[in-house]
Each structure stands twice: as structure tokens, then as C-alpha cells.
Amino acid sequence: MEDQYTVKFQEEVYPKVFEEVAEQTFRLFSQNEKQIAKEWKSRLDVHMDQIVYMQKQGIIERVAQTDISFLYSSINTGTQFRVDSYPQGGRIYASSLYTTMLDGSWLTKAVEPMGNKLAKYASQEGIRQYIRPAYIETLKLRAIRSLLAIMVARFKYTIPFIIDTKRFAKMKKEDSYLICMGEYMDWQNVLYANLPSVDIFNCDEGTNLRFRSFLAIYYQNKQFAQLDLEHAVFIDCTFQNVVIEECDMNDCLFDGCIFENVQFVTTKLAGSTFKKCEMSHVTWLCATFTMDQIEGQEQGYFEPTVFERCDFIGCSFEGCNIDRCITDNCAFKE
């Protein structure tokens, strides 16, 4: 009988309360994002300075990965994230070279009163005897896990503003370097990657193309088909007589690129930025600029697709939802 009530409570009551908590958390973060970024930047500046100092002293080696991990053990004592920088091999094969703590109270603040709301709903339904305090604490923990997963997806847009580029450049890093965020000693999502250059059309099968940078490359009469290029950066590249079909280009950056006679066919472009690009006879055919267009897929969080200071000549969007796209100082000609 108890299981019957808890399952019903979890399926019908918990989602309503979590939606309220999620909205409050997002609103709280949006209102305080600049201050949170400022505080985190200050702490990460010190973190990188210490890494640089210890490397100069020969105390530690090159850094291969930096993890920003939520500490569940800190929930009742002052919510925190832990920053660990690791050498080659990461946390699985090596110990942290240096550790820093970051405030994470903004993530759990809206969850704190959640217990009272859940208890109130249980009383209204006449099942308070089945919804015990321990079960409510479990639901609160579940809510924090869900909020963390969503906010980690959002932080891919925040991380560039909290990393000081000069300090970052001074750190001695491995050829492949990652900044990740997630749970301590558990899952981590990549927010930033500094990876060696590769040739998309002349690399080993299975080569990871995500987060790669492509500088001043001329692509002519090429077909990009079913490639995962999420978070890739294309700077001063030229695409001429090119078809880009069924590719994942979410969160890509195209800066100063030229597109001539190009087709984007059923390609994902959510969160991507086209900056100072020249678009001549480009067709977006059933391309997706917002991930809620794709049924049955984990949506994550994506900022609107941005076209900034781009020139469009004879371009068209066919079968695309571009309602959320942002255009800034762009020129359009037939």
C-alpha cells in the first residue's frame, strides 16, 4: 500500500513542485549570474595563479583536465563546488594537483523549502503517513541532481566569462586539455576543450571532432555527412559548393567565414553563432535551430542561434523554425 502511494506521489505531486523549484532556481541564477561569474572568476584566477606558480617551481606537471564538481556532502553545511586540476590520466589515474572551493548556494537555495511544500501536498491528499521525512529528503536530492544536470548544460555559455585568458595561457597544459563540470567522482560534461588540430576529411575513423578548432581552411565540393561537430570553431574558413547533411553542429562558432552555394540539410544548429560571415546562396533545409523540435531527445540547454554582422545574398530557410534566432546588424539581399 505504501509503495502505491509513494509512486503516485512521485509521478503526480513531485513534478509540480519540482517545476516551481526549477523556475525559481533559473530565475535566481539569471538575476545573479554576473555576480556568480564574478565570484567564481576571482576564485579561479587564484586557482590558475597557483598552478602556474607550482609549475614554475617544478612541484607539479602539466595539466590535462580541470573538473568543477558538485559536492553532495556539502548540502547541509554550505553548498559548494570543488575544482580539481589533474595531470594526464585525470582523476581515474592521478591525484588532483590543486583544489579550490566555489560557492554553490544558488543551486540549492530554492530546494531548501521544497520539503515543506511536499509535506503540505501529502497532507492535502491525506497520505501524510505514507510520505515520510526520509522519502521527502530523497526527492529533494533527486531535485538537486536534476537541477545540476540542467545548469551544467547552461554553464557551457558561462565558462568563457569566468576564465581569464592570460592566466589560462600561462598554465602548462597537455596537448589535449578539458574543463568539465558535473558530480564529484562521478559524471562530468565537457564545457571547454583545447585539442590538437585535425583534418575532417583526412583523419582516423572515429576521431572525435567535437570542440576542435578549424582555422582558415578552404572547403570546396565537399560533403559533410553525419558528423558530430558540436562546439567546433571555424575561423576564417571558406565553404564553397558544400553540402552539410545530418550533422550535429550545436553550439558551433563560425567567425569570419564565407559560405557560397552551401546547403545545410537536416543539420542541428541550436546555440550556434555565425559572426561576420558572408552568406551567398545558402539554403537551410529542415535545419533545427532549437532542440525542442526533435521529439524524444534529451534537450539540454541551448541559447538561441545568433547571426551577428552577417551578409545574406540569395539565402533561404526552408522547413525551419527560426523564431528564436537572433540577428544583429545583418544585411539581407535577394
Side-chain angles (χ1 to χ4, degrees):
M1 181 66 72
E2 181 176 346
D3 288 343
Q4 176 184 342
Y5 285 119
T6 55
V7 169
K8 183 178 180 181
F9 189 81
Q10 181 174 314
E11 293 179 350
E12 298 180 5
V13 176
Y14 169 79
K16 298 177 183 177
V17 177
F18 175 73
E19 185 176 356
E20 296 174 4
V21 170
E23 289 179 357
Q24 187 176 348
T25 300
F26 303 152
R27 185 167 57 252
L28 178 68
F29 180 79
S30 296
Q31 292 171 348
N32 298 280
E33 184 172 7
K34 290 184 179 179
Q35 184 60 33
I36 293 169
K38 181 179 179 181
E39 293 175 359
W40 278 36
K41 182 180 183 305
S42 176
R43 297 291 299 159
L44 290 173
D45 283 351
V46 175
H47 183 91
M48 288 186 285
D49 286 343
Q50 282 297 116
I51 294 262
V52 171
Y53 172 77
M54 290 190 289
Q55 287 177 334
K56 287 181 177 179
Q57 298 299 314
I59 301 173
I60 61 174
E61 50 201 298
R62 290 177 178 272
V63 180
Q65 183 168 324
T66 297
D67 290 348
I68 303 173
S69 307
F70 181 75
L71 294 176
Y72 287 103
S73 59
S74 70
I75 291 175
N76 296 320
T77 58
T79 311
Q80 292 182 312
F81 284 83
R82 169 172 169 156
V83 183
D84 290 289
S85 289
Y86 295 97
Q88 191 69 45
R91 60 183 171 83
I92 297 177
Y93 300 104
S95 299
S96 176
L97 299 172
Y98 189 72
T99 299
T100 296
M101 308 304 291
L102 301 174
D103 174 62
S105 59
W106 51 268
L107 180 68
T108 59
K109 188 172 183 179
V111 179
E112 293 170 5
M114 185 178 180
N116 292 332
K117 291 183 180 180
L118 290 171
K120 182 179 179 180
Y121 273 103
S123 297
Q124 290 174 348
E125 297 294 323
I127 55 173
R128 187 69 182 87
Q129 66 270 32
Y130 301 110
I131 309 303
R132 297 169 180 162
Y135 179 67
I136 288 178
E137 289 301 314
T138 299
L139 292 181
K140 287 171 63 177
L141 186 61
R142 175 183 170 183
I144 293 173
R145 285 199 172 104
S146 298
L147 290 172
L148 176 64
I150 298 170
M151 294 310 299
V152 166
R154 181 163 181 165
F155 252 84
K156 62 191 172 186
Y157 301 108
T158 306
I159 199 71
F161 299 103
I162 63 177
I163 299 297
D164 186 286
T165 54
K166 291 183 179 180
R167 287 181 167 88
F168 183 74
K170 291 179 181 178
M171 280 177 27
K172 294 180 180 178
K173 301 176 287 293
E174 295 289 348
D175 291 339
S176 295
Y177 171 79
L178 306 175
I179 297 178
C180 305
M181 188 174 182
E183 296 181 351
Y184 182 60
M185 291 297 176
D186 206 318
W187 63 269
Q188 295 282 330
N189 285 356
V190 178
L191 300 183
Y192 170 86
N194 185 9
L195 304 173
S197 299
V198 295
D199 184 338
I200 293 176
F201 296 99
N202 188 27
C203 61
D204 294 335
E205 185 176 354
T207 297
N208 180 18
L209 300 176
R210 301 173 78 249
F211 288 96
R212 301 280 182 174
S213 294
F214 305 95
L215 310 179
I217 300 175
Y218 188 79
Y219 298 106
Q220 184 180 37
N221 301 320
K222 295 289 186 180
Q223 182 169 11
F224 295 69
Q226 298 179 335
L227 298 177
D228 185 355
L229 288 158
E230 194 167 83
H231 298 281
V233 175
F234 295 87
I235 298 178
D236 296 330
C237 293
T238 297
F239 300 81
Q240 188 177 59
N241 301 322
V242 166
V243 176
I244 302 173
E245 186 172 8
E246 294 186 3
C247 291
D248 186 344
M249 287 185 158
N250 291 327
D251 292 320
C252 279
L253 170 63
F254 300 90
D255 190 347
C257 294
I258 297 173
F259 297 84
E260 295 180 0
N261 299 316
V262 175
Q263 289 185 329
F264 288 90
V265 183
T266 57
T267 287
K268 302 171 189 174
L269 290 160
S272 291
T273 297
F274 293 81
K275 185 176 181 181
K276 295 182 291 185
C277 293
E278 296 179 18
M279 313 277 197
S280 177
H281 302 288
V282 178
T283 301
W284 287 267
L285 180 61
C286 296
T288 53
F289 295 95
T290 173
M291 293 306 291
D292 56 15
Q293 293 176 265
I294 302 175
E295 296 181 1
Q297 177 163 326
E298 188 71 25
Q299 306 304 335
Y301 177 87
F302 294 91
E303 295 283 353
T305 302
V306 176
F307 295 92
E308 179 183 347
R309 287 180 285 171
C310 294
D311 293 328
F312 295 82
I313 300 175
C315 298
S316 63
F317 295 85
E318 302 175 13
C320 305
N321 180 356
I322 58 175
D323 291 347
R324 293 186 68 238
C325 294
I326 295 175
T327 56
D328 182 14
N329 291 320
C330 294
F332 298 86
K333 295 181 180 179
E334 295 295 333

